[in-house]
């Protein structure tokens, strides 16, 4: 009776008193139920007048004849108006009960749901739905209301209501509120449900907003679901792939790409182009090649745009880029101007000026026939090719061609021209070009100013660089109209600078500080005040400034300061600190920094290795030699090819130190002849000396494959190690064995230069007793590098590996230095 009473009260304003509604219980609607669910059963006929307690009133939609058609029409309009007002008040449960009652009558008097829906006041219903959206229930409550509309079959009214712009905007506001709170999954769920009611999801929220929230949450699956029920799925998928790529999330981008292939059901070249572009953003050119090979395996020819993206991503590899270009031509895809520009870019990165000129000439010929039109990118790339090659005259000539062709230079063009003159040391010419840039109404950027600053610093015009910087900070550039003052960094025109200095700007200025560490530190403090963060280059430059002032302690301390500030020191920072230590002769500290690099798994570069290997002008101890040889071997294992000559000279000088001064001068000419394989000598020395750091074991001095000078150095190195490891009072128990090589008995060409040189060295220079041994090596002859007097009979196993595999008999050429003579030689050195 509550519903009947309510309807009577709301209908009091209507002139005609309506008949009472029969008692009807409306089944509660579930927001998750689909529109295809069965409608509620029709209402039964009302009771007859004899049994009804309200027999004085005719029942609603009864089979009793009402008389006139107009009365029936008025009463239906009345209930439509009543239902609309209930909806406006947000009382949709009562609204649905009226609709269900009115539209469920049987027979000829029953009213179809479509007819009743047409009588509803959609403006009032829209207001009610708008109120529901703005209530606590929000979009979820609206979904329950929309589900009720669908169940009762009044879809036509639903479509009209959802086309109301105010409702769409309200839903969009609610979605953005949820997204702001991080509920991207919830928004996608709600959108997926609303899409079933034919609501334009893209009109409610701009798709890129949803995609970016999925990217922020690193949730590719939500992006895939969202794109799946959007109208323009292909565009949404590509936008999602690109946005994940911009964030460097290659894995998520690939996940969305694979889902797009299944969802779209066809090969979408735009999606392939987008994922290849993303490979470039994520610096994964190998993945781009795999994607291209996937197309090739399916015998699908990419279009021109896919080929261009593939070449652009792989522009660092000129050979691969040229391969793709030739394949593109072979299958009939005609290159456009962008294709040739990418080829020129690849030539620029590879420093292939000759090939770039060939391609440019080809494009010029095509332009003469009207096939192509050179653009600003073409000219700018060629200018950069010449600028990087320090061919500034060619760069200026290309600018002239550009102007004659009617192409206006842009900021990139002018920056490349200024850079060409700056790299050639033409500072004044760089400033003149900068003035021309301003006069042509081309607004410079921070990079142009940085190039000018760098030109001043490279020319040691430090004051000029700081004057330029000070005018920049005042947000203006130049106020002196005198061309003669260009050498002082002024221009003929004044201009307002719409940009601020960058981190690169301060890095260049810090190089201009020289040894003034106070000024360099002030620049770093200024960076922080303008919300700029020092990077690796900034800290490395500061290390060099402290080193220039001789403050090694503070230079090395910078490495710790970097870590505390959240910037992990890289190889450049460590190399700068090592250079400072070497320059100030703090060699132990330099080698400790190298060990620290290994601790933090920082791979040294060529400069690091060369700085350490050239740190010493001579060696004073075995430990120092072992230290440098360890770095040398570390360098070779890392794949670098060192210049061995300098290190060989130092090793030789250290080895010759055990010979008396008068004998050393007699052999000075031999020190210049360091023939043989490039690194065999150092490898031999390193293998013998570094065994001294391991367990005690017997070894032979192996000089096979060395020249006489190199064999001399190896033997002297082992002797010096024996001398430094010798402890007074110990007895010598082993002889020293020198393995010269394996030679056939009937080999008449064998020369005894190495053998004679070593015998002369050991007998005449060191007064040692030397015996030439026969083909069999006694097992009792041993020498231990760490302790030369420890008898461990392991030599047979060592020598077994060097026996000749030939059928003819072989003889091991060996020399034995007796232990007695070694003992007397060591005792003599101790006196």
């Amino acid at each position: 009776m509550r519903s009947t009473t309510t309807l009577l009260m709301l209908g009091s304003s209507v002139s005609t008193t309506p008949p009472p509604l029969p008692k009807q219980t409306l089944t509660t609607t579930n927001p998750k139920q689909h529109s295809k669910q069965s409608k509620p059963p029709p209402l039964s006929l009302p009771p007859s007048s004899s049994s009804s307690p309200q027999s004085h009133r005719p029942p609603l939609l009864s089979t009793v004849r009402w008389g006139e058609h107009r009365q029936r029409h008025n009463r239906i309009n009345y209930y439509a108006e009543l239902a609309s007002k209930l909806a406006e008040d947000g009382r949709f449960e009562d609204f649905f009960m009226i609709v269900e009652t009115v539209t469920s009558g049987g027979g000829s008097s029953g009213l179809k749901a479509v007819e009743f829906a047409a009588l509803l006041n959609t403006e009032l219903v829209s207001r009610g739905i708008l109120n529901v959206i703005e209530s606590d229930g929000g979009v979820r409550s609206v979904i329950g209301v929309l589900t009720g509309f669908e169940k009762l079959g009044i879809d036509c009214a639903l479509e009209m209501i959802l086309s109301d712009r105010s409702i769409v905007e309200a839903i969009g506001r609610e979605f953005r509120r949820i997204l702001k709170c991080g509920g991207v999954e919830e928004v996608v769920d709600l959108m997926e449900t609303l899409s079933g009611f034919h609501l334009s999801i893209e009109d409610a929220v701009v798709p890129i907003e949803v995609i970016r929230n999925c990217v922020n949450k690193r949730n590719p699956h939500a992006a895939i679901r969202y794109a799946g029920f959007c109208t323009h799925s292909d565009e949404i998928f590509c936008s999602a792939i690109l946005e994940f790529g911009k964030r460097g999330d290659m894995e998520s981008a690939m996940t969305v790409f694979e889902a797009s292939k299944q969802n779209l059901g066809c090969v979408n070249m735009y999606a392939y182009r987008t994922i290849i572009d993303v490979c470039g953003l994520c610096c994964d050119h190998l993945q781009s090649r795999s994607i291209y090979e996937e197309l090739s395996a399916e015998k699908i020819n990419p279009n021109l745009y896919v080929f261009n993206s593939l070449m652009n991503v792989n522009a660092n590899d000129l050979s691969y880029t040229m391969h793709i270009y030739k394949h593109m031509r072979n299958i009939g895809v005609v290159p456009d101007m962008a294709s040739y520009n990418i080829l020129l870019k690849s030539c620029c990165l590879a420093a292939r000026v000759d090939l770039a000129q060939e391609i440019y000439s080809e494009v010029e010929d095509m332009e003469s026939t009207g096939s192509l039109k050179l653009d600003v990118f073409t000219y700018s790339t060629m200018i950069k090719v010449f600028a990087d090659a320090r061919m500034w005259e060619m760069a200026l000539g290309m600018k002239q061609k550009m102007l004659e062709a009617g192409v206006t230079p842009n900021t990139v063009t002018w920056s490349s021209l200024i850079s060409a003159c700056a790299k050639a040391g033409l500072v004044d010419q760089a400033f003149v070009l900068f003035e021309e840039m301003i006069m042509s109404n081309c607004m410079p950027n921070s990079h142009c100013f940085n190039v000018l600053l760098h030109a001043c610093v490279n020319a040691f015009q430090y004051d000029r660089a700081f004057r330029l910087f000070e005018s920049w900070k005042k947000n203006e550039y130049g106020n002196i109209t005198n061309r003669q003052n260009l050498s002082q960094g002024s221009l003929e025109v004044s201009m307002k600078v719409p940009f601020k200095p960058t981190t690169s700007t301060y890095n260049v200025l810090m190089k201009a500080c020289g040894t003034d560490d106070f000024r360099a530190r002030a620049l770093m403090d200024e960076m922080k005040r303008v919300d700029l963060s020092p990077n690796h280059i900034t800290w490395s430059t500061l290390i060099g400034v402290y080193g220039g002032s001789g403050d090694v302690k503070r230079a090395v301390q910078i490495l710790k300061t970097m870590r505390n500030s959240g910037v992990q020191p890289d190889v450049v920072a460590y190399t700068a600190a090592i250079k400072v230590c070497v320059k100030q002769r703090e060699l132990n500290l330099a080698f400790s920094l190298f060990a620290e690099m290994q601790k933090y798994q920082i791979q040294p570069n060529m400069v690091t290795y060369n700085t350490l290997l050239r740190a010493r002008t001579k060696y004073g101890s075995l430990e120092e030699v072992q230290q440098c040889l360890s770095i040398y071997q570390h360098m070779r294992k890392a794949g670098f090819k060192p210049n061995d000559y300098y290190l060989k000279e130092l090793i030789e000088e250290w080895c010759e130190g055990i010979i008396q001064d008068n004998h050393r001068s007699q052999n000075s000419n031999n020190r210049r002849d360091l023939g043989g394989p490039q690194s065999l000598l150092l490898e031999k020395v390193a293998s013998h000396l570094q065994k001294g750091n391991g367990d005690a074991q017997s070894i032979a001095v192996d000089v096979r494959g060395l020249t006489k000078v190199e064999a001399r150095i190896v033997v002297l190195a082992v002797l010096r190690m024996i001398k430094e490891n010798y402890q007074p009072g110990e007895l010598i128990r082993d002889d020293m064995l020198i393995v010269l090589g394996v030679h056939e008995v009937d080999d008449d060409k064998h020369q005894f230069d190495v053998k004679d040189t070593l015998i002369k060295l050991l007998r005449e220079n060191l007064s040692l007793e030397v015996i030439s041994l026969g083909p069999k090596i006694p097992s009792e002859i041993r020498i231990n590098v760490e302790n030369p007097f420890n008898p461990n009979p392991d030599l047979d196993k060592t020598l077994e590996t060097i026996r000749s595999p030939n059928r003819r008999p072989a003889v091991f050429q060996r020399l034995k230095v007796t232990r007695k003579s070694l003992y007397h030689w060591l005792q003599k050195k101790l006196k």
Side-chain angles (χ1 to χ4, degrees):
M1 293 298 296
R2 181 188 61 83
S3 297
T4 303
T5 306
T6 302
L7 295 177
L8 290 174
M9 292 175 63
L10 289 173
S12 59
S13 60
V14 184
S15 57
T16 305
T17 303
L21 286 172
K23 295 180 181 180
Q24 177 71 26
T25 302
L26 181 63
T27 305
T28 303
T29 58
N30 187 351
K32 294 293 182 179
Q33 287 177 325
H34 195 269
S35 58
K36 293 184 178 180
Q37 288 179 328
S38 60
K39 295 181 181 180
L43 293 174
S44 58
L45 290 175
S48 61
S49 57
S50 60
S51 59
S52 174
Q54 300 175 349
S55 58
H56 61 280
R57 240 179 232 181
L60 179 64
L61 300 179
S62 65
T63 56
V64 180
R65 184 179 183 88
W66 280 71
E68 296 181 0
H69 177 72
R70 183 176 181 83
Q71 281 185 322
R72 179 176 178 273
H73 179 72
N74 288 339
R75 292 181 182 279
I76 293 175
N77 286 341
Y78 167 81
Y79 288 114
E81 181 181 357
L82 181 62
S84 301
K85 288 183 178 181
L86 288 171
E88 182 185 19
D89 293 338
R91 301 171 59 181
F92 281 97
E93 183 178 353
D94 295 332
F95 168 82
F96 290 139
M97 186 178 66
I98 292 178
V99 174
E100 184 177 13
T101 303
V102 172
T103 60
S104 63
S108 59
S109 63
L111 188 65
K112 294 183 179 179
V114 177
E115 296 174 356
F116 187 76
L119 300 176
L120 293 173
N121 189 331
T122 55
E123 182 179 352
L124 297 180
V125 178
S126 296
R127 289 179 190 171
I129 293 178
L130 194 61
N131 291 332
V132 173
I133 297 173
E134 296 173 351
S135 66
D136 294 338
V139 178
R140 291 198 178 277
S141 297
V142 169
I143 290 176
V145 172
L146 300 181
T147 304
F149 272 83
E150 227 179 27
K151 283 187 63 176
L152 295 176
I154 49 178
D155 303 54
C156 55
L158 181 61
E159 293 178 5
M160 293 179 62
I161 292 168
L162 292 181
S163 64
D164 189 337
R165 188 62 195 170
S166 60
I167 290 181
V168 176
E169 291 177 353
I171 292 175
R173 286 193 299 270
E174 181 66 13
F175 282 155
R176 282 188 286 272
R177 182 191 67 79
I178 300 173
L179 288 174
K180 189 175 181 180
C181 298
V184 65
E185 286 276 5
E186 180 182 356
V187 167
V188 172
D189 287 339
L190 295 174
M191 284 184 168
E192 188 172 17
T193 304
L194 287 175
S195 65
F197 297 106
H198 308 291
L199 175 68
S200 180
I201 301 300
E202 291 93 326
D203 292 339
V205 180
V206 180
I208 195 65
E209 292 186 38
V210 182
I211 292 299
R212 286 175 179 168
N213 275 274
C214 294
V215 172
N216 292 336
K217 291 292 184 180
R218 300 181 66 90
N219 192 339
H221 301 290
I224 293 169
R225 286 179 54 205
Y226 172 69
F229 56 73
C230 284
T231 307
H232 305 286
S233 294
D234 54 343
E235 297 178 8
I236 304 300
F237 272 116
C238 292
S239 296
I241 294 169
L242 184 60
E243 290 300 321
F244 277 112
K246 289 179 180 179
R247 290 296 183 90
D249 190 351
M250 186 69 202
E251 182 180 355
S252 297
M254 284 298 299
T255 301
V256 178
F257 171 67
E258 294 296 333
S260 71
K261 291 193 296 184
Q262 299 177 3
N263 185 279
L264 300 177
C266 62
V267 177
N268 189 312
M269 287 299 171
Y270 184 47
Y272 274 93
R273 177 188 180 184
T274 304
I275 190 63
I276 289 175
D277 288 337
V278 166
C279 292
L281 294 174
C282 298
C283 302
D284 191 353
H285 63 280
L286 295 179
Q287 182 65 50
S288 69
R289 299 182 188 185
S290 299
I291 294 169
Y292 167 69
E293 290 168 2
E294 174 187 323
L295 280 175
S296 300
E298 297 177 3
K299 297 182 180 181
I300 300 173
N301 291 329
N303 59 21
L304 173 64
Y305 304 106
V306 174
F307 274 121
N308 284 347
S309 293
L310 182 64
M311 289 193 297
N312 188 45
V313 170
N314 292 275
N316 286 316
D317 188 344
L318 179 60
S319 61
Y320 184 81
T321 304
M322 291 298 298
H323 166 72
I324 294 298
Y325 166 73
K326 292 176 182 178
H327 177 68
M328 177 175 66
R329 297 290 298 266
N330 291 336
I331 63 175
V333 178
V334 180
D336 62 355
M337 196 65 245
S339 307
Y340 289 104
N341 288 339
I342 293 169
L343 288 178
L344 291 175
K345 172 186 173 182
S346 185
C347 293
C348 180
L349 294 173
R352 287 290 305 275
V353 182
D354 55 337
L355 184 57
Q357 288 178 304
E358 290 180 13
I359 296 173
Y360 175 76
S361 298
E362 180 183 345
V363 174
E364 267 191 327
D365 294 339
M366 297 176 70
E367 185 183 38
S368 63
T369 61
S371 302
L372 290 175
K373 177 65 177 176
L374 274 69
D375 56 19
V376 65
F377 188 88
T378 311
Y379 289 107
S380 299
T381 305
M382 285 304 300
I383 289 173
K384 190 173 189 312
V385 168
F386 294 129
D388 292 345
R390 301 180 184 274
M391 302 168 66
W392 64 275
E393 292 178 334
M394 297 290 289
L396 293 178
M398 188 59 62
K399 183 198 88 167
Q400 188 61 35
K401 284 186 177 182
M402 185 178 186
L403 296 175
E404 292 173 357
V407 180
T408 304
N410 58 16
T411 304
V412 176
T413 313
W414 287 109
S415 297
S416 299
L417 288 168
I418 295 171
S419 178
C421 294
K423 290 180 179 179
L426 304 174
V427 184
D428 291 342
Q429 181 64 37
F431 274 92
V432 170
L433 286 170
F434 187 80
E435 179 184 1
E436 291 180 11
M437 178 182 183
I438 297 172
M439 296 296 292
S440 65
N441 294 324
C442 183
M443 180 59 64
N445 55 18
S446 59
H447 177 68
C448 297
F449 273 94
N450 290 341
V451 171
L452 287 176
L453 289 174
H454 201 274
C456 295
V457 171
N458 285 345
F460 303 104
Q461 299 178 14
Y462 299 145
D463 291 339
R464 185 177 185 179
F466 277 103
R467 285 198 302 272
L468 175 61
F469 177 65
E470 290 300 325
S471 65
W472 185 358
K473 286 198 300 183
K474 294 177 182 178
N475 200 33
E476 62 182 7
Y477 183 84
N479 52 15
I480 303 175
T481 59
N482 185 358
R483 182 176 287 275
Q484 295 179 352
N485 288 327
L486 282 172
S487 61
Q488 303 301 320
S490 300
L491 295 177
E492 284 192 7
V493 295
S494 297
M495 60 167 289
K496 293 294 182 181
V497 180
F499 45 84
K500 297 180 181 180
T502 63
T503 301
S504 298
T505 309
Y506 284 94
N507 290 343
V508 174
L509 285 172
M510 287 184 67
K511 294 179 181 179
C513 294
T515 60
D516 190 349
D517 57 283
F518 179 79
R519 193 172 195 176
R521 195 75 207 191
L523 283 173
M524 288 195 68
D525 293 338
E526 184 177 324
M527 288 180 67
K528 297 175 183 177
R529 288 197 298 271
V530 296
D531 295 328
L532 292 176
S533 300
N535 57 16
H536 290 87
I537 298 176
T538 316
W539 290 108
S540 300
T541 306
L542 185 61
I543 291 173
V545 173
Y546 278 127
S549 63
D551 194 342
V552 180
K553 182 178 179 180
R554 295 185 70 179
V556 175
Q557 183 67 25
I558 293 296
L559 298 173
K560 183 178 180 180
T561 306
M562 288 179 68
R563 287 194 179 88
N564 293 337
S565 64
V567 180
Q568 293 299 321
D570 60 354
V571 61
V572 178
Y574 268 101
T575 302
I578 289 173
K579 281 185 177 180
V580 170
C581 296
V582 170
K583 184 178 180 180
Q584 299 299 324
R585 309 308 302 165
E586 296 283 351
L587 302 185
N588 290 334
L589 183 56
F591 283 99
S592 68
L593 289 177
F594 178 78
E596 188 175 309
M597 290 180 68
Q598 294 176 288
K599 173 185 175 183
Y600 287 105
Q601 297 182 347
I602 300 174
Q603 176 61 48
N605 57 23
M606 192 72 174
V607 179
T608 314
Y609 287 118
N610 285 337
T611 301
L612 288 170
L613 290 178
R614 296 178 181 273
R616 303 185 188 276
T617 56
K618 63 179 181 178
Y619 296 121
S621 66
L622 171 64
E623 181 182 0
E624 293 175 353
V625 178
Q626 291 174 329
Q627 200 174 46
C628 280
L629 286 174
S630 174
I631 291 175
Y632 169 83
Q633 290 186 315
H634 191 281
M635 181 180 187
R636 287 181 59 81
K637 290 178 182 178
F640 295 99
K641 295 181 179 180
N643 184 357
D644 301 334
Y645 184 80
Y646 182 77
L647 186 58
K648 283 180 179 179
E649 283 195 331
L650 291 180
I651 294 293
E652 182 183 9
E653 182 180 349
W654 177 77
C655 295
E656 296 285 348
I658 66 171
I659 306 178
Q660 297 178 2
D661 294 339
N662 58 337
H663 291 151
R664 187 187 314 167
S665 60
Q666 296 175 6
N667 298 281
S668 59
N669 292 332
N670 292 334
R671 296 176 67 244
R672 299 190 185 97
D673 180 20
L674 296 175
Q678 177 70 6
S679 60
L680 183 57
L681 169 63
L682 294 178
E683 291 292 344
K684 291 282 188 182
V685 174
S687 64
H688 283 84
L689 299 193
Q690 290 185 341
K691 286 179 181 178
N693 294 328
D695 297 333
Q697 58 179 341
S698 298
I699 63 171
V701 181
D702 184 6
V703 296
R704 293 176 301 151
L706 300 180
T707 65
K708 58 183 180 181
V709 178
E710 294 172 334
R712 171 191 174 94
I713 293 173
V714 173
V715 171
L716 287 176
V718 175
L719 287 172
R720 179 148 190 173
M721 180 177 59
I722 292 173
K723 180 178 76 73
E724 294 193 13
N725 287 333
Y726 173 65
Q727 299 295 330
E730 292 188 9
L731 297 177
I732 298 177
R733 299 179 181 178
D734 284 337
D735 298 323
M736 177 179 176
L737 181 67
I738 303 173
V739 180
L740 301 175
V742 181
H743 300 280
E744 295 181 358
V745 174
D746 57 351
D747 187 2
D748 297 332
K749 297 180 181 180
H750 174 62
Q751 300 296 326
F752 295 94
D753 289 346
V754 175
K755 181 178 179 181
D756 292 343
T757 299
L758 293 180
I759 290 175
K760 184 178 180 180
L761 167 69
L762 296 171
R763 287 178 179 173
E764 297 181 9
N765 295 66
L766 300 174
S767 301
L768 292 170
E769 182 182 1
V770 183
I771 301 174
S772 180
L773 296 179
K776 185 177 180 180
I777 303 176
S779 60
E780 67 272 8
I781 300 177
R782 309 285 182 268
I783 182 170
N784 183 342
V785 175
E786 183 176 7
N787 184 358
F789 319 113
N790 181 22
N792 284 324
D794 296 329
L795 188 57
D796 286 338
K797 295 181 180 179
T798 303
L799 293 177
E800 190 67 29
T801 61
I802 62 174
R803 295 188 182 277
S804 172
N806 299 330
R807 295 181 179 179
R808 289 178 294 181
V811 175
F812 288 94
Q813 298 293 326
R814 289 151 292 125
L815 296 176
K816 179 176 75 172
V817 180
T818 63
R819 57 184 178 179
K820 182 178 180 181
S821 62
L822 280 172
Y823 177 77
H824 288 299
W825 174 72
L826 291 171
Q827 291 297 316
K828 186 188 302 183
K829 288 291 180 180
L830 293 175
K831 293 179 181 180

